[in-house]
Amino acid sequence: MGARPYNRKATVAPAETFVTAGARLPAITPPRVYPLPAIGLLLALLLAISATATAQTLLRGNGPEPSTLDAHRCPEVSCGNILRDLYEGLVTEDAKGQLIPGMAERWELSGDGREWIFHLRNGLRWSNGEALTATQIVASFRRAFAPATAAPFAVHFTAIENAEAVQQGKLPPERLGITSPDPRTVVFRITRSVALPQLLLLPIAYPVYLPALEKFGAQHTRPGNLVSNGAYRLEDWRPQAQVSLLRNAWFRDVAPIEHVRYLVTEDAASELQRFEAGDLHITETVPPQPLALLRPRFGTQLRISPYLGAMWIGLNLDKPPLRGNAALREALSLAIDRDKLTRYITGLGESPAYGLIPPGVADYRPVSLPWAGATQAAREALARQRYREAGYGEAQPLQIELRYNTSTPLRRMNLAVAAMWREVLGAQVTLRNEEWKVFVGNRKQRVITQAFRGGWIADVNDARNFLANFETGSITNWSGLHDPGFDALIAAADAAPDLQQRGQKLQQAEARVLTQQAIIPVYFYTSKHLVRPEVQGFEANALDHHASRFLRLVEMRR
Amino acid sequence: MKRIALLVLEAALTLWLLATLCFFLLHAAPGGPFDSEKAAPPEVQAALDAQYRLDQPLLQQYARWLGDVVRGDLGPSFQYPDYRVNELIASSLPVSLINGSCALLLALLLGMPLGVWAALRAGRWSDRLLMFGAGLGLAMPKFVVAPLLILVFAVTLRWLPAGGWDGGWRSALLPIVALTLPNLAYCARLTRASLLEVLDADYLRAARGRGLSEARLLFAHALKPGLLPVIAWLSPALINVVSGSAVVEQVFGIPGIGRYFVQGALNRDYTLVLGVVLVIGLAIVVINFMVDALRGWLDPRLRDSA
């Protein structure tokens, strides 16, 4: 290879600035008590040395161990975070979550609305220095949709011609509607209206380097084998401990931070302690505890912002007592005091939900239940009225099961909900908690469930992502909603010629889910992180994506 | 020679029974490795099942899995498809072994002398204080001790990292201390109780009557039988070393084998759980054999009955 990296600065040998494993971050709040002044002096000296050395390494808490670093097979947040640094798709997002050019410098929808055309930048490179071509991008997509890959996010791409048939093995991967007419153009043929650029942020759309896959098989994701195209490349991976990334010298923009270390922080309480001890710059989450306690402790280091996730209580429409009794379902929904719940029970800035889709979704204005603006007293009066209409009362109280997966925060929430149902309606509620796999199985089968913990965290910034859970036949249609009117609206949205009309159809679809009381909206999620002051460029965004290339570490001098 | 062959046969039979029982129990548990909230479409599910042989009849799955195990291959992990179970165990077992054996060694080296000292001063305030401390050490669960250690030594004093694992001694120190404390407390109490009993035995009174010095009495006659219960306790303690501590590993974020037990079971990662069970099962068989041999060497009565 005669090619050279574009930026000389990025070719500086990494070993010189590499931070030894034991190095610590500078303390922000000085420890209050030192047993001996001498030890304090020694520590201060050590900290001063490490402060200069760690400026180049970003330490990020990342939750549980990533299940895989195969971009096409990554299903969860922890692998998604790392892959976002390792790879770049045709389209990417900036620190605020806005779409910006990635491998493609521009893109457009064809005049007839049947093709998305992406024009690649000049001089794209893999992290090993080889040229990255449109043909390779197409080949990567074919591998992503091959049945054997079993890509978890392939379901979102059914708008691409033949994508579904290819994934089901009914057509060969070569028939996938993604082509490269020339080395710098990638064309997606679509069969219905779709916000494709948003979808291309998913890890399944990253280019996987197929020569490594052919050579190393399942081990193509190991350090030394993994070739990527993002701002960073893989340096080291110690299962259940950490994944280390090093700046990719072949990437067009030099990332300000040279090393990024993603640390496995499975236990949120331990992660908090590691942050307090100065072992982490950014945490993955914050363990549930009242904001009133956290704010004074962490001040501006605590970053809470709206997140594209909704918590609701699902209602099984197939089985008694909820089947065919919309008045009862509405009574249960009205009886819940969401303000109280989000203020005293969840307590980390969640906002009360009166709809399915959280605010902040792209090209969409969410819908609310008609009584969203009423006082809680008025809601409760209406709840009791609906309860009586439904055929229940003091003499004949409702007996209902509320099912959730075993977890302390969920237990607190469901206890509160049960108490509200009991207090307002006089219902007799049985709480059932189940181990996760048992719970998801029961919820999917819809045989023994009545009311249950529901909810959704968006994979893509798109309202349809939430609504797809209520389509007839959808695997995640836990409520068992079967509404041809709803299905027709989704189909109409898919056929809509532009995003505005699409949004209107989706709004009507959301309204149908709500007016039929298929779910009880409870609250919208927040993303929660602790971020040290020396980290700059960390911006709130709806999908909670924070690529390391937009972050900087500044030295804090006291 | 024949005895050794018999032992090996017995061990193999034990492990086979263990593996078989676990295999069928795991598959009988509700839910599978690929059940999740965002469920896969049926075709994808079928592709995954075929890759992992889950589409075959259970007995056939069992036979093929057992065949692989006999050849030394524990299979691919369901939850971590980039790794074979062999690799995951090879990377996690040493971590648990290092932490656990350091902790056990510390517990023995400190616990036995402390126990002896307490036994010799039985009833005095120093003995009572020591035993009170040991009682406290035993009563405090690890999920209390571990965060407490972090709070003091990492968050407040900032001497050591609050968690994580880089292979260096600094990241190992707090976990080792957390693992040592209960073992140390138990070891000290055990040594004291057992030695007190021995010191009261008739043969020691006779020896004392013959005018042997207290030091000679202790080291030449009382200590060896007095430590027998400690040796017996070594077997479960060593097994704990091999199997790691899921609690301590989770709190400190250490990549040990104990977490795979818990995570593997929760994720229905069949191959990973079975692999861990087999490795630990093998270790238990070996440890029991070694401890039995050690006890036989210390206690002649056991040799005769064997």
Side-chain angles (χ1 to χ4, degrees):
Chain A
M1 290 305 302
R4 302 168 71 94
Y6 303 111
N7 195 314
R8 305 282 307 163
K9 224 172 100 189
T11 58
V12 172
E16 293 162 20
T17 41
F18 189 77
V19 180
T20 51
R24 312 297 305 284
L25 300 175
I28 298 165
T29 43
R32 282 184 209 98
V33 194
Y34 282 121
L36 290 167
I39 295 177
L41 203 68
L42 191 72
L43 264 178
L45 199 70
L46 274 174
L47 288 173
I49 294 166
S50 64
T52 47
T54 46
Q56 294 293 317
T57 300
L58 180 71
L59 303 169
R60 305 184 65 154
N62 195 39
E65 165 78 7
S67 60
T68 175
L69 288 183
D70 184 334
H72 296 162
R73 306 183 76 168
C74 161
E76 87 274 313
V77 174
S78 51
C79 54
N81 287 340
I82 300 170
L83 291 166
R84 195 169 304 116
D85 279 354
L86 287 174
Y87 287 95
E88 181 182 53
L90 288 163
V91 174
T92 185
E93 57 202 322
D94 66 11
K96 291 182 173 152
Q98 302 296 317
L99 288 184
I100 54 168
M103 288 189 290
E105 57 188 0
R106 62 197 164 85
W107 54 89
E108 75 255 351
L109 188 61
S110 68
D112 61 358
R114 299 297 302 274
E115 286 181 345
W116 277 98
I117 303 152
F118 292 82
H119 304 280
L120 303 188
R121 288 173 197 273
N122 201 3
L124 291 173
R125 300 272 169 194
W126 294 100
S127 58
N128 61 4
E130 283 176 33
L132 196 166
T133 64
T135 322
Q136 287 174 315
I137 295 172
V138 170
S140 167
F141 272 107
R142 286 178 181 164
R143 187 263 173 171
F145 285 88
T149 308
F153 286 129
V155 285
H156 297 307
F157 290 82
T158 48
I160 295 175
E161 192 178 80
N162 294 339
E164 211 168 352
V166 166
Q167 217 207 1
Q168 291 170 0
K170 290 173 189 160
L171 284 177
E174 292 72 32
R175 295 286 303 278
L176 185 68
I178 305 175
T179 51
S180 58
D182 65 71
R184 284 186 56 194
T185 310
V186 177
V187 176
F188 293 75
R189 289 195 58 78
I190 54 170
T191 54
R192 58 175 168 81
S193 157
V194 61
L196 188 64
Q198 286 284 354
L199 286 178
L200 293 179
L201 294 176
L202 287 169
I204 187 179
Y206 294 148
V208 166
Y209 184 71
L210 298 184
L213 184 66
E214 280 152 24
K215 191 168 170 195
F216 303 110
Q219 299 192 1
H220 74 109
T221 57
R222 301 298 175 79
N225 299 352
L226 185 91
V227 177
S228 58
N229 74 326
Y232 291 88
R233 62 183 173 82
L234 182 63
E235 185 184 50
D236 189 24
W237 181 3
R238 298 187 201 173
Q240 306 289 334
Q242 62 183 38
V243 176
S244 306
L245 311 184
L246 183 62
R247 188 155 62 199
N248 173 12
W250 294 95
F251 190 70
R252 64 177 181 281
D253 284 337
V254 180
I257 299 172
E258 184 164 23
H259 279 91
V260 180
R261 210 175 288 158
Y262 282 93
L263 298 146
V264 174
T265 50
E266 207 178 349
D267 181 52
S270 305
E271 187 187 39
L272 181 79
Q273 286 193 314
R274 288 170 77 171
F275 181 82
E276 282 191 292
D279 294 349
L280 295 173
H281 285 109
I282 303 171
T283 66
E284 168 60 17
T285 187
V286 177
Q289 50 185 293
L291 262 186
L293 291 179
L294 287 171
R295 277 274 179 237
R297 229 166 116 198
F298 295 105
T300 54
Q301 297 182 78
L302 183 63
R303 306 287 186 93
I304 293 182
S305 58
Y307 184 44
L308 293 191
M311 169 70 81
W312 67 72
I313 295 172
L315 302 171
N316 187 346
L317 306 175
D318 281 352
K319 299 281 169 191
L322 297 163
R323 182 178 60 192
N325 200 339
L328 176 64
R329 301 198 295 266
E330 189 172 13
L332 292 172
S333 183
L334 283 158
I336 295 176
D337 187 340
R338 293 157 175 87
D339 289 308
K340 215 182 253 178
L341 212 58
T342 48
R343 191 172 313 154
Y344 301 113
I345 308 294
T346 59
L348 274 174
E350 293 83 358
S351 59
Y354 299 95
L356 165 66
I357 299 172
V361 173
D363 308 307
Y364 190 74
R365 250 196 27 246
V367 185
S368 279
L369 284 160
W371 34 264
T375 63
Q376 186 58 29
R379 283 183 207 137
E380 287 175 9
L382 186 59
R384 282 186 278 268
Q385 188 191 327
R386 289 275 184 275
Y387 188 63
R388 281 192 299 275
E389 284 167 22
Y392 294 94
E394 261 176 52
Q396 212 185 353
L398 167 74
Q399 298 196 340
I400 191 166
E401 275 184 10
L402 179 54
R403 191 175 296 268
Y404 61 99
N405 55 296
T406 311
S407 105
T408 309
L410 282 176
R411 183 166 164 272
R412 284 163 53 89
M413 187 193 104
N414 286 298
L415 270 172
V417 167
M420 288 168 185
W421 286 351
R422 207 159 26 226
E423 241 167 65
V424 178
L425 305 172
Q428 295 176 357
V429 190
T430 312
L431 287 174
R432 295 234 179 276
N433 74 86
E434 293 173 329
E435 191 255 6
W436 175 244
K437 295 266 182 185
V438 178
F439 173 76
V440 292
N442 283 335
R443 191 170 63 175
K444 194 159 72 179
Q445 287 162 2
R446 303 203 301 269
V447 176
I448 61 166
T449 49
Q450 296 181 358
F452 53 87
R453 176 253 165 133
W456 195 254
I457 291 182
D459 305 315
V460 206
N461 190 348
D462 181 8
R464 195 187 188 284
N465 193 229
F466 286 89
L467 292 166
N469 296 320
F470 298 91
E471 281 184 283
T472 304
S474 159
I475 309 165
T476 47
N477 189 347
W478 308 312
S479 291
L481 182 72
H482 174 69
D483 176 10
F486 174 87
D487 296 341
L489 281 167
I490 296 288
D494 287 346
D498 59 55
L499 288 176
Q500 200 194 344
Q501 291 181 49
R502 180 174 183 266
Q504 284 168 0
K505 294 293 171 202
L506 293 178
Q507 263 182 341
Q508 291 169 24
E510 182 186 6
R512 276 192 87 98
V513 173
L514 295 177
T515 50
Q516 293 178 66
Q517 316 290 341
I519 56 157
I520 300 176
V522 181
Y523 64 78
F524 296 127
Y525 283 93
T526 48
S527 62
K528 316 171 257 283
H529 301 278
L530 289 165
V531 181
R532 289 176 67 90
E534 60 261 43
V535 178
Q536 307 225 319
F538 188 94
E539 305 268 1
N541 62 66
L543 283 173
D544 198 24
H545 289 173
H546 307 280
S548 304
R549 62 181 272 223
F550 301 116
L551 304 178
R552 291 181 312 280
L553 282 178
V554 294
E555 259 182 65
M556 301 297 285
R557 295 216 178 276
R558 276 181 284 118
Chain B
M1 204 56 223
K2 196 175 149 199
R3 199 166 150 242
I4 290 174
L6 263 175
L7 272 172
V8 170
L9 200 68
E10 194 186 312
L13 194 71
T14 310
L15 286 178
W16 172 73
L17 273 173
L18 179 74
T20 307
L21 197 67
C22 282
F23 183 92
F24 289 103
L25 277 176
L26 263 176
H27 281 268
F34 303 120
D35 286 336
S36 72
E37 187 159 45
K38 302 191 174 178
E43 299 81 16
V44 174
Q45 190 64 56
L48 280 171
D49 285 349
Q51 265 174 43
Y52 285 91
R53 302 181 195 150
L54 291 180
D55 54 341
Q56 298 171 0
L58 195 57
L59 272 177
Q60 199 175 331
Q61 288 181 45
Y62 169 71
R64 295 189 63 173
W65 172 76
L66 201 63
D68 287 348
V69 168
V70 169
R71 281 188 291 274
D73 177 13
L74 297 170
S77 162
F78 285 80
Q79 176 70 13
Y80 308 107
D82 301 8
Y83 288 91
R84 311 288 298 177
V85 172
N86 292 43
E87 296 174 289
L88 291 177
I89 290 177
S91 76
S92 61
L93 187 62
V95 174
S96 290
L97 279 183
I98 290 169
N99 279 345
S101 40
C102 283
L104 187 59
L105 212 63
L106 264 176
L108 288 174
L109 289 179
L110 293 173
M112 289 195 301
L114 279 176
V116 171
W117 187 69
L120 295 179
R121 309 173 68 84
R124 293 195 224 171
W125 68 267
S126 49
D127 167 52
R128 290 200 184 147
L129 194 72
L130 198 71
M131 284 307 110
F132 174 75
L136 207 65
L138 273 177
M140 290 241 282
K142 284 180 202 149
F143 60 81
V144 174
V145 173
L148 215 59
L149 285 172
I150 296 177
L151 190 68
V152 174
F153 293 99
V155 177
T156 308
L157 297 172
R158 290 184 169 246
W159 289 352
L160 294 163
W165 183 258
D166 52 30
W169 65 271
R170 296 179 81 247
S171 59
L173 203 56
L174 284 184
I176 288 176
V177 172
L179 287 171
T180 302
L181 287 178
N183 278 342
L184 170 61
Y186 194 79
C187 181
R189 287 187 78 99
L190 201 62
T191 309
R192 174 185 177 271
S194 148
L195 201 62
L196 274 181
E197 204 176 298
V198 172
L199 285 175
D200 207 31
D202 288 341
Y203 78 93
L204 270 185
R205 284 182 203 189
R208 196 176 279 126
R210 274 187 277 134
L212 265 67
S213 74
E214 281 299 313
R216 207 189 141 89
L217 269 178
L218 179 66
F219 289 106
H221 298 285
L223 208 52
K224 209 166 136 182
L227 288 182
L228 271 176
V230 179
I231 303 298
W233 164 76
L234 259 188
S235 159
L238 273 169
I239 289 162
N240 276 337
V241 166
V242 180
S243 58
S245 162
V247 174
V248 169
E249 285 168 15
Q250 172 130 351
V251 172
F252 286 100
I254 302 171
I257 202 167
R259 292 170 105 184
Y260 284 134
F261 242 147
V262 180
Q263 281 176 2
L266 291 179
N267 292 325
R268 309 289 191 273
D269 195 335
Y270 299 140
T271 43
L272 181 58
V273 174
L274 288 167
V276 172
V277 163
L278 270 178
V279 167
I280 293 175
L282 181 67
I284 291 176
V285 169
V286 172
I287 287 169
N288 277 338
F289 173 73
M290 279 169 22
V291 171
D292 279 350
L294 195 63
R295 285 175 67 195
W297 173 68
L298 281 174
D299 188 349
R301 289 169 300 183
L302 288 173
R303 249 173 288 169
D304 299 336
S305 65

